[in-house]
Amino acid sequence: EKTKTIVIFFSLHAGLPAYQNFLEGFRTAFSEEPDENYNLLIEYLDIGRLSDDKYAKYIVELYNDKYKDVDIDLLITVAPGVNQVLMKYGFEALKKSKIISIEFDSLASDQGLLASGNITKVIIKLRFAETIQKACDLFPLSKDIFVISGCASTDKYFASIVRDGSDSLQKKYNLTFISDLSLDSTLKYVSKIPAHS
């Protein structure tokens, strides 16, 4: 039997815990089909490091070369920004593969780019205020909330979504946003956060 080739493109780097959860889910789902032989290939675009058009085009050309003789049976793209980069710099497999595009509902740049009929879209709804409220419900004594984020452009983007969506929380809680610190400085800051935060 033909071994099917499944390629997953994650937009960011391999160290993100969310991506490990995605992979675990994919592997579990694929293993539920015992009669299907498949080869799972995982790529990380790490779009935060694509500093300019020339470098981004070079990376996509490397992927075109890598997959030029491979029939991709299923291409899975995981947001944010992956569809934009792959389309802009001409990833050939987008034209001939079946695609599952996993997109965030609040990231308009990812949506509507892959418009052909061979695409299934999965929209992930980000509800940070609801998530924070659930955490506060678990710890009712906590009135101080510290939102800590990194300094990469994607970190800043998600922090801005949390900030924009937290209006309802600011009436009940004290929100403090912390970013642009080194890891050492972040650890020092966190060590001084009061109890019940």
Side-chain angles (χ1 to χ4, degrees), residues 84-124:
Q84 204 172 14
V85 170
L86 292 177
M87 277 196 66
K88 182 175 181 181
Y89 301 106
F91 185 53
E92 292 296 321
L94 291 175
K95 299 173 186 172
K96 52 189 177 185
S97 304
K98 290 183 179 173
I99 302 169
I100 295 176
S101 177
I102 300 173
E103 305 168 1
F104 295 120
D105 68 338
S106 55
L107 292 173
S109 64
D110 284 312
Q111 296 180 16
L113 291 174
L114 307 177
S116 67
N118 62 341
I119 294 172
T120 300
K121 293 184 181 184
V122 177
I123 306 296
I124 296 175

Side-chain angles (χ1 to χ4, degrees), residues 44-45 50 54-64 85:
Y44 297 92
L45 270 178
L50 300 179
K54 185 177 177 184
Y55 181 64
K57 185 171 178 45
Y58 169 74
I59 294 297
V60 173
E61 284 174 359
L62 285 177
Y63 285 124
N64 277 331
V85 170

Side-chain angles (χ1 to χ4, degrees), residues 8-29:
I8 303 173
F9 268 93
F10 289 104
S11 62
L12 305 174
H13 59 85
L16 289 178
Y19 288 170
Q20 301 315 309
N21 292 338
F22 273 115
L23 284 174
E24 186 179 322
F26 290 140
R27 287 187 175 116
T28 299

Side-chain angles (χ1 to χ4, degrees), residues 14-79:
L16 289 178
Y19 288 170
Q20 301 315 309
N21 292 338
F22 273 115
L23 284 174
E24 186 179 322
F26 290 140
R27 287 187 175 116
T28 299
F30 295 145
S31 68
E32 290 172 357
E33 300 292 335
D35 298 333
E36 292 284 345
N37 298 319
Y38 67 91
N39 186 18
L40 183 62
L41 304 171
I42 301 157
E43 306 289 358
Y44 297 92
L45 270 178
D46 201 2
I47 60 173
R49 294 183 188 268
L50 300 179
S51 54
D52 57 39
D53 280 354
K54 185 177 177 184
Y55 181 64
K57 185 171 178 45
Y58 169 74
I59 294 297
V60 173
E61 284 174 359
L62 285 177
Y63 285 124
N64 277 331
D65 191 49
K66 179 177 181 178
Y67 290 108
K68 69 181 176 189
D69 298 323
V70 177
D71 289 329
I72 298 175
D73 296 286
L74 178 62
L75 177 64
I76 301 173
T77 61
V78 183

